[in-house]
Amino acid sequence: MNSADFATALRTRQHLIGYWSLLDSPIAAERLARLGYDYLAFDAQHGLFGYEGMLNNLMATDTKGSTAVGLVRVGANDPAAIGRALDAGATGVIVPLIDNAQDAADAVASVRYPPLGKRSYGPMRSQLRIGPDPAAAHEQTVVLAMIETAEGLADVERICATPGLDGVYIGPSDLRLAIGGSTTQDPTVSDAFEAAVTRIREAAAEAGIAAGIHNADGASAAKRLAEGFTFATVACDIVHLQQVATAHLTAARHGQNREPGV
């Protein structure tokens, strides 16, 4: 899938499935990009890489046989951070901590060139895959606003109605804390959390934009897509590495303790 196809699919609210990456491992990104995911999301907010790592992982995502485009969760709603991610070749940005409609409008402006926005012109790598034309960049790059704070939830309908915003993305850990959870998995706020998730999804549907959510595993992603979300991310490389390694260690030790011949 190229950037143009991805942007069209997202804006027409087709189902898209992605994978989340925290590790600075272009070789891993190259392999993940060939598995069938629609996008790989590289986390420049909490991920373990800097600009060079972000650039190298985006380049690896464009490997021969890739089915995925590269998205970047930028560190902040900042024109410089957003511009550098897009100049490096990201098909879109996920912008964290959007509290209100003005924050969303600022994020949109950082993605679009004048006169539609305030992105500075300098597509050092993106011109090779999206094109140097501002009109092409506008058509082929997307901006997603994260809804993960109490303020963002309270203003979600106005956020979703922001002109030029392509979608919203739920950060479930921060959202659960924002509605009063004592931990990111606190079960005592599950009803309030699910009500918040539904409100966000319905606000996006009413505005005609995409709605996405972060998930711990594929089964959870499938559940959210069945509920009406239009894109879902499976997270993430560092957690899955630990889970699989632990499972193999447990199996090996269990087998080691078995009686011979059993």
Side-chain angles (χ1 to χ4, degrees):
M1 182 179 296
N2 59 34
S3 292
D5 290 341
F6 179 85
T8 297
L10 184 86
R11 289 172 183 148
T12 55
R13 306 179 71 238
Q14 298 176 38
H15 279 181
L16 297 165
I17 300 172
Y19 192 81
W20 197 265
S21 178
L22 292 167
L23 294 174
D24 182 1
S25 177
I27 294 174
E30 192 173 36
R31 285 178 173 265
L32 289 166
R34 297 168 61 95
L35 295 180
Y37 286 100
D38 299 306
Y39 62 92
L40 301 183
F42 299 103
D43 189 349
Q45 182 187 24
H46 297 303
L48 306 176
F49 48 79
Y51 175 78
E52 185 177 356
M54 176 184 71
L55 174 63
N56 288 339
N57 280 279
L58 286 170
M59 292 173 67
T61 304
D62 292 333
T63 184
K64 180 181 178 180
S66 172
T67 63
V69 301
L71 304 181
V72 173
R73 175 164 72 173
V74 294
N77 189 4
D78 173 72
I82 291 171
R84 280 172 71 79
L86 295 175
D87 289 347
T91 292
V93 289
I94 303 169
V95 185
L97 302 171
I98 298 296
D99 287 339
N100 51 56
Q102 184 58 58
D103 285 349
D106 290 343
V108 171
S110 295
V111 172
R112 310 298 178 210
Y113 292 113
L116 301 180
K118 58 184 179 183
R119 178 181 173 187
S120 178
Y121 189 82
M124 292 300 97
R125 176 171 180 265
S126 62
Q127 64 180 303
L128 302 177
R129 54 189 308 280
I130 294 176
D133 237 0
H138 294 162
E139 179 185 346
Q140 298 177 37
T141 56
V142 300
V143 54
L144 306 169
M146 289 199 74
I147 308 297
E148 53 186 345
T149 66
E151 294 84 358
L153 178 61
D155 205 31
V156 66
E157 288 78 16
R158 292 180 64 241
I159 290 171
C160 288
T162 302
L165 186 68
D166 295 301
V168 290
Y169 186 70
I170 295 175
S173 294
D174 279 322
L175 183 61
R176 192 175 289 260
L177 294 176
I179 62 172
S182 59
T183 70
T184 60
Q185 302 294 323
D186 187 352
T188 66
V189 297
S190 289
D191 288 346
F193 175 79
E194 289 301 326
V197 166
T198 299
R199 178 179 175 181
I200 295 166
R201 174 173 49 79
E202 291 180 348
E206 179 66 25
I209 64 172
I213 189 168
H214 204 70
N215 301 273
D217 51 55
S220 299
K223 174 178 177 289
R224 293 303 189 185
L225 290 171
E227 291 172 354
F229 280 92
T230 58
F231 68 103
T233 311
V234 179
C236 63
D237 50 10
I238 191 169
V239 173
H240 291 163
L241 176 63
Q242 179 178 337
Q243 289 173 342
V244 172
T246 300
H248 284 296
L249 176 61
T250 300
R253 282 188 169 156
H254 176 74
Q256 189 178 46
N257 292 332
R258 292 166 62 186
E259 295 179 10
V262 177

